[in-house]
Amino acid sequence: MITRTVPDIVVGRLPRYLQALEHMYREGIKTTSSQELGEAIGISAAQIRKDLSQFGEFGKQGTGYSVAFLVEQLQSILKLTRIWDLALVGMGDLGNALARYQGFAEHGFRITAAFDNDPEKIGKEVAGLIIQDSREMKRIIPSLGIKIAMLTVPASVAQMVAEELVDAGIRAILNYAPISLNLPDDIHVENIDPIIKLQHMTYYLD
Amino acid sequence: MITRTVPDIVVGRLPRYLQALEHMYREGIKTTSSQELGEAIGISAAQIRKDLSQFGEFGKQGTGYSVAFLVEQLQSILKLTRIWDLALVGMGDLGNALARYQGFAEHGFRITAAFDNDPEKIGKEVAGLIIQDSREMKRIIPSLGIKIAMLTVPASVAQMVAEELVDAGIRAILNYAPISLNLPDDIHVENIDPIIKLQHMTYYLD
DNA sequence: CATTTTTTGTGCGTATTTTCACAGAAAAAA
DNA sequence: TTTTTTCTGTGAAAATACGCACAAAAAATG
Ligand SMILES: NC(=O)c1ccc[n+]([C@@H]2O[C@H](COP(=O)([O-])OP(=O)(O)OC[C@H]3O[C@@H](n4cnc5c(N)ncnc54)[C@H](O)[C@@H]3O)[C@@H](O)[C@H]2O)c1
Ligand SMILES: NC(=O)c1ccc[n+]([C@@H]2O[C@H](COP(=O)([O-])OP(=O)(O)OC[C@H]3O[C@@H](n4cnc5c(N)ncnc54)[C@H](O)[C@@H]3O)[C@@H](O)[C@H]2O)c1
């Protein structure tokens, strides 16, 4: 049996399935179908079944899927059955909002270290975290085994700071700076940029 | 001449081209090529040329593209040659960070109205905006001609508030709540959700 | 117990998206 | 001027992604 590598576009949809399923779980819904799940998130039922079939058989004909079981399976596929430590770099307005956001902890992501290079900010506490000097990243990040960073520094320094993060052993970066980072191929970068999203939407407006 | 409708996936890449080109412009770079632009953002040169060819011929053989001219053209295609007014709904941590973010204004997006339903917050000022009662959305939004909203309320009320926004004449929503909104097909919704992005990345990590 | 209904997993055809590769235009070099 | 180099725009090919439609399994109904 050959283990075909799963397309990234499929992997990218799994968290959306998981989000909807966890919502159903909280609502007390025990069972769902590809049809119902698809309607909830605007994806065709066939697509969902095809995507899931990449990883195994999780449903029962005539019945559909057990919500709790499918949540478990998706968490396992996405490696969410452990706690992931995060580094947060750049404690300005956005960094502070992220530090206080409860959603990360609720989903097994723990912000374990916060960094800035502003002497005024270093040493201050935010949401139970002491802001540390970003010159210490290379020492602290490996010592805590952190593999994922959220980058909320100004665009002008984002590339440089990203390189420092990679140097410190970071393997994945969630980049909020409005610039595309140029990093080695084995570093996973995802971008969050509201301007890009707004510009996408204006195309369709008058 | 048939005006083939441009694939959404192509439209979605244009803001990224624009971002990189504006960066080049600020750096004083006058001319670029599909090759160079592609390397800057990690997209193949052929892809960029194909995408642009959907809208016209913007380059010169042997020379490439004038950065300033291509910026102008992309802005025009994406309808960015005007100011877009935005409504910001939900003035918690994230809403406040967004209200203070300068990037919107720098790109022609003006947050014109901010709403919340918390009596403690209504009337307060944030970044020059007076927070208004969200019960007034239906009156205020049309009166200011606002078509785009950023939604930063708790997930539990996001669907309801989104429907109120549509009712108030909003045509496009940038949704930060971790839930998929169910709205009429002609409303453009884009989601920003860091958890979804992190869960995508963990798949590739050990 | 037989029949009908529901719903999965998937083979296969279709549609969409990406890449290739090259003619031709402009610029640079000879 | 002629030749060489550079780089676009685009058909055609290749690769990827999507969706239909159905056998098979389970549950519900009669
Ligand atoms: N605020 C928002 O809502 C928002 C929204 C979208 C994107 N962004 C982007 O996110 C980033 C941060 O935005 P912000 O509004 O919080 O900006 P900000 O200026 O408030 O914060 C940036 C922080 O980064 C720190 N910093 C600067 N250089 C550093 C370095 N070399 N190492 C470590 N820390 C450093 C600064 O001291 C500051 O605390 C920017 O790139 C911005 O474009 C912000
Ligand atoms: N804070 C973050 O960094 C962050 C990151 C990602 C996503 N989010 C999401 O963004 C949303 C807001 O996050 P937050 O941390 O700012 O939460 P928050 O609780 O600080 O703010 C929510 C705000 O919405 C207001 N609100 C509640 N019901 C409302 C209604 N019916 N009409 C108008 N306003 C209403 C509240 O009064 C509050 O001011 C949440 O859905 C959250 O999951 C937040």
Side-chain angles (χ1 to χ4, degrees):
Chain A
M1 165 222 178
I2 11 151
T3 319
R4 269 253 297 92
T5 178
V6 178
D8 183 64
I9 195 165
V10 172
V11 176
R13 279 190 293 261
L14 301 184
R16 298 179 52 202
Y17 301 162
L18 180 57
Q19 181 184 78
L21 287 162
E22 285 178 337
H23 186 251
M24 288 176 182
Y25 184 80
R26 286 190 300 271
E27 297 272 293
I29 297 168
K30 302 282 183 222
T31 289
T32 190
S33 63
S34 57
Q35 177 79 38
E36 187 183 43
L37 180 56
E39 274 162 18
I41 57 183
I43 287 183
S44 81
Q47 177 93 83
I48 291 173
R49 294 200 302 276
K50 249 291 160 56
D51 285 355
L52 295 178
S53 77
Q54 296 267 353
F55 301 95
E57 308 196 354
F58 306 115
K60 243 193 201 152
Q61 285 156 330
T63 316
Y65 302 90
S66 152
V67 171
F69 178 71
L70 193 48
V71 163
E72 263 175 35
Q73 292 301 306
L74 286 171
Q75 286 176 339
S76 159
I77 291 164
L78 293 168
K79 308 213 179 81
L80 303 174
T81 54
R82 49 164 284 188
I83 299 219
W84 288 96
D85 291 301
L86 306 179
L88 177 55
V89 187
M91 296 303 293
D93 276 325
L94 183 58
N96 274 276
L98 293 176
R100 279 192 292 273
Y101 182 43
Q102 293 305 307
F104 294 116
E106 285 161 13
H107 289 87
F109 294 99
R110 178 168 58 193
I111 301 176
T112 308
F115 297 97
D116 205 292
N117 76 339
D118 180 347
E120 292 283 310
K121 288 177 179 159
I122 295 166
K124 290 252 163 65
E125 191 205 291
V126 177
L129 284 163
I130 306 291
I131 299 174
Q132 312 201 60
D133 190 328
S134 54
R135 283 173 299 190
E136 298 282 293
M137 293 191 307
K138 175 131 195 205
R139 185 177 61 76
I140 295 170
I141 286 174
S143 81
L144 297 169
I146 303 175
K147 296 289 167 216
I148 309 175
M150 298 194 288
L151 187 57
T152 54
V153 299
S156 52
V157 297
Q159 175 66 38
M160 190 192 71
V161 176
E163 286 168 13
E164 291 169 15
L165 286 168
V166 171
D167 195 39
I170 286 294
R171 310 291 320 281
I173 297 179
L174 183 53
N175 172 43
Y176 281 85
I179 191 171
S180 42
L181 301 176
N182 235 287
L183 297 171
D185 283 350
D186 61 339
I187 307 297
H188 291 276
V189 178
E190 296 272 339
N191 296 290
I192 289 191
D193 188 340
I195 305 281
I196 296 263
K197 298 278 196 177
L198 291 170
Q199 291 176 338
H200 186 162
M201 295 196 295
T202 54
Y203 177 82
Y204 296 103
L205 296 176
D206 328 315
Chain B
M1 167 223 177
I2 10 153
T3 319
R4 268 253 298 93
T5 177
V6 178
D8 183 64
I9 196 162
V10 173
V11 176
R13 279 191 293 261
L14 301 184
R16 298 179 53 199
Y17 301 162
L18 180 55
Q19 181 183 79
L21 288 160
E22 285 177 338
H23 186 251
M24 288 176 181
Y25 184 81
R26 286 191 301 270
E27 297 272 292
I29 298 168
K30 302 282 183 221
T31 289
T32 190
S33 63
S34 56
Q35 178 79 38
E36 186 182 44
L37 180 56
E39 274 161 18
I41 56 183
I43 286 182
S44 81
Q47 176 97 85
I48 292 172
R49 294 200 301 276
K50 248 289 153 60
D51 285 354
L52 295 177
S53 77
Q54 296 267 354
F55 302 94
E57 308 196 353
F58 306 116
K60 241 191 203 157
Q61 286 155 327
T63 316
Y65 303 90
S66 152
V67 171
F69 178 71
L70 193 48
V71 163
E72 262 176 36
Q73 293 300 306
L74 285 171
Q75 286 175 338
S76 160
I77 291 165
L78 292 168
K79 309 217 179 77
L80 303 173
T81 54
R82 48 164 285 189
I83 298 219
W84 288 95
D85 291 302
L86 306 179
L88 178 55
V89 186
M91 296 304 292
D93 276 325
L94 183 57
N96 274 276
L98 293 176
R100 281 193 290 273
Y101 183 42
Q102 294 305 304
F104 295 116
E106 285 162 14
H107 290 86
F109 294 100
R110 179 168 57 194
I111 301 176
T112 308
F115 297 98
D116 205 292
N117 76 338
D118 180 348
E120 292 284 309
K121 288 176 178 158
I122 295 166
K124 291 249 163 66
E125 191 204 291
V126 176
L129 283 163
I130 305 291
I131 299 174
Q132 312 203 57
D133 190 327
S134 54
R135 284 173 299 191
E136 298 282 293
M137 292 192 307
K138 175 127 197 210
R139 184 177 62 75
I140 295 170
I141 287 174
S143 81
L144 297 169
I146 302 175
K147 296 287 167 218
I148 309 176
M150 297 194 289
L151 186 57
T152 54
V153 299
S156 52
V157 297
Q159 175 66 36
M160 190 192 73
V161 176
E163 285 168 15
E164 290 169 17
L165 285 167
V166 171
D167 194 41
I170 286 294
R171 309 293 319 282
I173 297 178
L174 183 53
N175 172 43
Y176 281 85
I179 191 171
S180 41
L181 300 177
N182 236 286
L183 298 171
D185 284 349
D186 61 339
I187 307 298
H188 291 276
V189 177
E190 296 272 339
N191 296 291
I192 289 192
D193 187 340
I195 305 281
I196 296 263
K197 298 278 195 177
L198 290 171
Q199 291 176 338
H200 187 162
M201 294 197 295
T202 53
Y203 178 82
Y204 296 103
L205 296 177
D206 328 315

